[in-house]
Amino acid sequence: MQEACGASPVQDGLQCYVPSLHQCFCAVQAASGDMCALDAVKLELALYPMPLTVNIFSCLQPLDLLHLSRACKIFRSFFLDKKRQIRWDSALKNAPELPPRSSSISAPAFVHLLFSPYCHSCGVASVRETLPGSLTRCCPKCLPQWTIWYKDAIPKAGDASRFVREVLSHDEIPHFFAIQDRSDSLLLDPGFNRLLKYEFEHITRIFEGLPRPLTDEAFEAFKQALREEREERLQCSVDVETYLTAVEMAREAELEAARKKQLDQILERLKYAGWDKELAHMGSRGIATISAIPIVRQTSKLTEGAWWKILTALNDFLKQTQKERLDKEIRDALRTRFEALENILVAHYVTLPRTADMDCRPWYIDIALLPPCRALLDKPSTTPVPTAKLETLIPTLADEWYNSTKTALAEYICPHLGEIAAGVAPLTLAIAVFPRSEVCQGTARSLRFPALLAHNCACRMRTQRHESEWLTQKDEYTRIAMTLGWTETESVHYEYDDSCTVRVPFNAGALPPPETAAEGIARMRRIVSALGLDPARATPDDLDRCDLWLRCTTCETARPNDDIFMWTWSGAFEHERMVHKDNVSPTWRQVDSDSMANVHVLKAMRSFTFPDSGRWSCSLCSSYTSETAKTKIHLADVHGNTDAAKAMRDGLVYLHPSIERSTIFPDHILFREGVKTKAAWPSNVSFASGTAIIRPDIILAQALLRF
């Protein structure tokens, strides 16, 4: 009946004996160290029928046998008896997922290699990889003691010159030995090409045991046997490494799954503890930071004691995240309010079509820090802002600010203008040019009122080293207003560096000392006079309308063999500033009419090309300003205009007032090459390096053919 049901007498017998055998194993563990008790257990174990004991052990896995062999001396001597190797072979057959065993290693040693991640020399733990090409685990500390440099092994081979020549040579050792740190280029470095000592001694003993005199056939058979053994060990090593890698990956996956489960439990408890907003704020990056904390990575049971330890470890990080969250909420609320403020300013100053003068107006930060405006905006994030009051108050504050700033700039420059015509506004004169600071790139065209209000220079930006402490001392509202345009990268940089760049309200006091303005005004007086206009009356628009270019007589007289250039009035100002800065007052003369005709042709040609650089504003949008590439996209997407050059000619887009017009057309042109210039005349017009070269005899013909 039992056989019909699938059971066998042997299995039935095993079921009878397993309970008492289990009691025996428990007795072994309890009596370890007590020799008398162990002898009693040994006697009890001996009472079991041997065939039954063998059958029980043959059903176990290799790891089970390994654990039993380590339980006590009785089992160790029983399982490691060389006469009972068949039990290990049977256990290996019960685990088909294990790699095949090499004949060069015993079954117990093979199981120990697979399941014991310990150094075979010192016993240190966590040595999870075997040495390349071998069936050995060795930690880095013991490796030098376990290996020998192949050249140091040669003297140990004795007088066996043939053995040295055909087995220990650098080219042959890979066929017989597991080389550690093999290198063909570092043959003389003892740190490379090292042999395992036990492997070398094993092969040496085999060689010494060969019959003498040694025949060629015997030596070749010896080498062939070594090659076959080496190939077998190498294949077994590869299989073992593949298996260990798979086991390690499975272990890591299991460990990672346990850590993730533990992390999920911790996050749930954090949410329950009231940190849900902080967890939402930190995002995946913050969660990753939490998961990297050592105590969080532990996979032990999350007891109350462990939870409080974790909470203590996370306390500083959670509080810092809470501070960042509150700062972000305040910043977001103020950003919305400042954007509303900026929109009110735009609506007050800009009407379509928009012009460059409309961009020369107060910014949000000029008004936001004024006490009446701050009283409305500096409220908790949950408090609504009275929009109607803002729309009434802001235009009044903006006009007051504009007039006061204009007055401050007039007081700065008027003492140095000299005599001006009656009834003329001083700031509208062409000679009313302000000096530029070291960080400003403005020119004579943009360093004047009101264009100066549109500059990103020292009057509006504060960029210096060792300023982060100065910014930290500001109150939160002021600090956010000054850093509203910061990117995340700039914010992180500010946290770890001692420098920062912030926006500040327009400050005429940031201009160079007033006495430095006299030099620029004197330059402009010379240039305006050279154009045939009255410096006491002429405005920048008058200079543009006269449409005349200048040549520097001083440079042409002093260096007659050099290149000769002709300049726009703003280019002439820069020429004086850069070349004649040593209190030299150059003289200028007007360019002849023929050359001006060529300039006009050149301008017409250039107007069909949209510049690759610059900041451009859209006249049909109240606030759009961006770089060239984005402006082209804006024209195509918003206004359906794919010809940016035509949009520039038609005035649909214009240069931002802080950008010099030389972006569109050069402010100086080569009139005549010097005699020292070896380059031949070009065959057409070149705009390289911002300078156009005029060839009077061909440029007009080319332009006529083109148009």
Side-chain angles (χ1 to χ4, degrees):
M1 179 64 68
Q2 291 177 346
E3 293 179 3
C5 295
S8 66
V10 175
Q11 292 175 333
D12 210 19
L14 289 178
Q15 293 174 2
C16 297
Y17 283 98
V18 163
S20 56
L21 187 61
H22 174 70
Q23 295 174 2
C24 179
F25 290 163
C26 293
V28 169
Q29 295 178 354
S32 58
D34 187 345
M35 297 306 299
C36 295
L38 285 175
D39 289 340
V41 171
K42 184 175 180 181
L43 178 60
E44 183 177 353
L45 184 61
L47 297 178
Y48 287 96
M50 183 56 64
L52 182 59
T53 306
V54 172
N55 284 331
I56 292 175
F57 292 148
S58 65
C59 296
L60 300 179
Q61 294 286 321
L63 184 58
D64 297 329
L65 293 186
L66 184 64
H67 288 164
L68 287 173
S69 66
R70 294 174 175 174
C72 64
K73 294 181 179 179
I74 301 173
F75 283 173
R76 179 178 180 82
S77 61
F78 179 79
F79 287 109
L80 295 185
D81 188 352
K82 294 183 179 180
K83 298 179 180 180
R84 298 185 174 91
Q85 292 291 314
I86 190 171
R87 298 183 184 83
W88 293 90
D89 293 333
S90 300
L92 288 173
K93 292 178 182 179
N94 295 333
E97 71 278 4
L98 299 181
R101 177 176 66 89
S102 170
S103 60
S104 61
I105 183 172
S106 65
F110 185 65
V111 174
H112 176 73
L113 174 70
L114 293 178
F115 297 105
S116 297
Y118 301 97
C119 175
H120 290 179
S121 176
C122 65
V124 66
S126 299
V127 181
R128 302 192 179 279
E129 297 180 355
T130 60
L131 294 179
S134 72
L135 300 175
T136 305
R137 295 181 190 260
C138 186
C139 65
K141 183 178 180 181
C142 296
L143 186 59
Q145 305 171 6
W146 266 50
T147 58
I148 182 173
W149 187 30
Y150 82 104
K151 285 189 174 295
D152 289 340
I154 293 177
K156 298 181 180 297
D159 297 332
S161 58
R162 187 173 183 180
F163 178 77
V164 172
R165 184 176 63 254
E166 299 188 27
V167 176
L168 290 180
S169 66
H170 178 265
D171 295 333
E172 294 295 332
I173 53 176
H175 301 298
F176 307 106
F177 299 92
I179 310 301
Q180 306 303 309
D181 298 321
R182 176 171 170 77
S183 174
D184 294 331
S185 59
L186 300 173
L187 301 180
L188 300 180
D189 189 340
F192 296 86
N193 300 305
R194 301 185 66 85
L195 313 180
L196 293 172
K197 286 184 178 180
Y198 76 85
E199 196 173 36
F200 169 72
E201 294 170 354
H202 169 68
I203 294 177
T204 304
R205 283 196 301 270
I206 296 176
F207 177 75
E208 292 174 351
L210 295 178
R212 299 295 193 273
L214 186 62
T215 62
D216 294 341
E217 292 78 6
F219 190 73
E220 290 299 327
F222 163 71
K223 291 199 301 181
Q224 182 61 29
L226 291 182
R227 290 192 186 96
E228 293 176 356
E229 182 181 352
R230 172 71 190 127
E231 291 176 0
E232 183 185 10
R233 290 177 65 87
L234 181 61
Q235 183 59 48
C236 184
S237 173
V238 172
D239 295 341
V240 168
E241 191 62 34
T242 302
Y243 170 77
L244 293 179
T245 301
V247 170
E248 182 65 17
M249 292 177 62
R251 188 187 73 87
E252 287 292 340
E254 182 179 356
L255 193 60
E256 193 61 32
R259 287 171 178 164
K260 186 178 183 305
K261 182 178 179 181
Q262 181 87 323
L263 178 63
D264 292 340
Q265 294 178 2
I266 293 173
L267 295 179
E268 285 298 324
R269 297 195 68 163
L270 286 174
K271 291 179 182 179
Y272 183 77
W275 297 102
D276 50 331
K277 293 182 178 180
E278 282 67 33
L279 293 175
H281 170 75
M282 69 177 65
S284 58
R285 182 178 298 180
I287 299 299
T289 302
I290 291 178
S291 65
I293 297 176
I295 194 171
V296 176
R297 291 177 59 84
Q298 296 178 5
T299 57
S300 56
K301 185 178 180 180
L302 189 60
T303 62
E304 284 299 318
W307 164 244
W308 285 109
K309 289 181 180 179
I310 292 174
L311 203 57
T312 302
L314 295 177
N315 185 58
D316 292 342
F317 177 72
L318 291 173
K319 286 187 175 180
Q320 177 63 27
T321 304
Q322 185 181 54
K323 179 179 179 300
E324 294 174 358
R325 177 182 65 81
L326 296 175
D327 288 347
K328 184 178 184 301
E329 289 179 357
I330 297 174
R331 178 176 288 269
D332 290 344
L334 288 178
R335 182 188 299 276
T336 302
R337 296 170 185 180
F338 291 150
E339 288 175 353
L341 171 59
E342 183 71 16
N343 292 335
I344 295 174
L345 291 173
V346 170
H348 179 62
Y349 283 97
V350 178
T351 57
L352 301 181
R354 174 179 160 207
T355 62
D357 287 342
M358 297 178 186
D359 293 330
C360 304
R361 56 175 177 78
W363 294 1
Y364 77 90
I365 195 169
D366 298 317
I367 309 301
L369 297 184
L370 296 178
C373 182
R374 178 167 182 169
L376 293 178
L377 297 182
D378 192 6
K379 302 285 186 181
S381 57
T382 55
T383 303
V385 177
T387 307
K389 289 185 179 180
L390 278 179
E391 292 176 348
T392 303
L393 176 66
I394 297 306
T396 303
L397 292 177
D399 290 341
E400 292 176 356
W401 178 90
Y402 188 89
N403 293 329
S404 64
T405 302
K406 183 178 180 179
T407 301
L409 291 175
E411 293 174 352
Y412 174 92
I413 203 169
C414 282
H416 307 283
L417 290 179
E419 295 184 1
I420 60 176
V424 176
L427 293 180
T428 63
L429 292 173
I431 62 174
V433 58
F434 291 86
R436 71 180 190 178
S437 61
E438 295 180 358
V439 298
C440 180
Q441 299 299 320
T443 62
R445 187 180 295 277
S446 59
L447 287 172
R448 57 181 67 250
F449 184 85
L452 195 62
L453 301 181
H455 272 228
N456 273 327
C457 62
C459 294
R460 286 199 173 278
M461 306 297 290
R462 183 162 179 167
T463 308
Q464 294 180 6
R465 300 287 295 178
H466 311 295
E467 290 284 53
S468 57
E469 182 178 353
W470 166 83
L471 182 61
T472 306
Q473 294 172 354
K474 301 291 182 181
D475 61 87
E476 190 172 40
Y477 178 89
T478 304
R479 189 167 61 250
I480 292 175
M482 290 182 173
T483 61
L484 192 65
W486 275 9
T487 63
E488 183 178 355
T489 302
E490 288 173 321
S491 300
V492 173
H493 178 75
Y494 162 68
E495 292 291 338
Y496 295 97
D497 203 357
D498 59 351
S499 66
C500 59
T501 301
V502 298
R503 288 179 178 176
V504 295
F506 184 88
N507 178 24
L511 291 169
E515 56 270 17
T516 60
E519 185 179 350
I521 293 172
R523 290 196 198 108
M524 282 304 303
R525 280 188 173 274
R526 286 190 293 270
I527 293 169
V528 173
S529 299
L531 292 173
L533 300 177
D534 182 6
R537 293 180 178 274
T539 65
D541 292 337
D542 295 333
L543 271 59
D544 290 335
R545 279 193 294 269
C546 78
D547 197 22
L548 289 175
W549 286 44
L550 300 174
R551 290 169 56 183
C552 182
T553 305
T554 302
C555 289
E556 294 178 14
T557 302
R559 298 180 294 276
N561 294 329
D562 289 355
D563 295 339
I564 295 177
F565 291 90
M566 53 187 187
W567 306 82
T568 64
W569 64 266
S570 59
F573 182 90
E574 289 303 306
H575 173 75
E576 279 204 26
R577 187 181 67 84
M578 297 296 294
V579 178
H580 302 288
K581 53 188 175 182
D582 298 330
N583 297 322
V584 176
S585 300
T587 57
W588 296 90
R589 63 171 176 167
Q590 297 179 10
V591 173
D592 59 89
S593 58
D594 291 339
S595 297
M596 285 305 304
N598 290 330
V599 170
H600 295 157
V601 173
L602 196 58
K603 279 187 175 181
M605 296 172 61
R606 185 64 180 266
S607 67
F608 282 82
T609 303
F610 194 67
D612 294 332
S613 60
R615 293 180 66 230
W616 299 86
S617 299
C618 179
S619 64
L620 300 182
C621 299
S622 59
S623 60
Y624 181 84
T625 299
S626 189
E627 59 186 21
T628 296
K630 293 181 179 179
T631 300
K632 290 181 178 180
I633 297 174
H634 171 80
L635 287 172
D637 293 347
V638 178
H639 304 294
N641 191 324
T642 57
D643 189 348
K646 185 176 185 304
M648 177 183 65
R649 294 195 302 272
D650 296 341
L652 180 58
V653 292
Y654 59 88
L655 273 177
H656 191 266
S658 64
I659 306 300
E660 176 56 32
R661 289 188 185 179
S662 59
T663 300
I664 300 178
F665 191 78
D667 59 4
H668 61 290
I669 293 177
L670 182 62
F671 177 76
R672 187 193 70 200
E673 285 186 329
V675 297
K676 295 181 180 180
T677 304
K678 297 182 180 180
W681 279 103
S683 59
N684 52 18
V685 179
S686 170
F687 292 98
S689 301
T691 301
I693 301 177
I694 291 185
R695 194 57 203 278
D697 56 341
I698 65 170
I699 188 171
L700 187 57
Q702 289 182 342
L704 291 175
L705 289 174
R706 187 165 188 170
F707 295 108

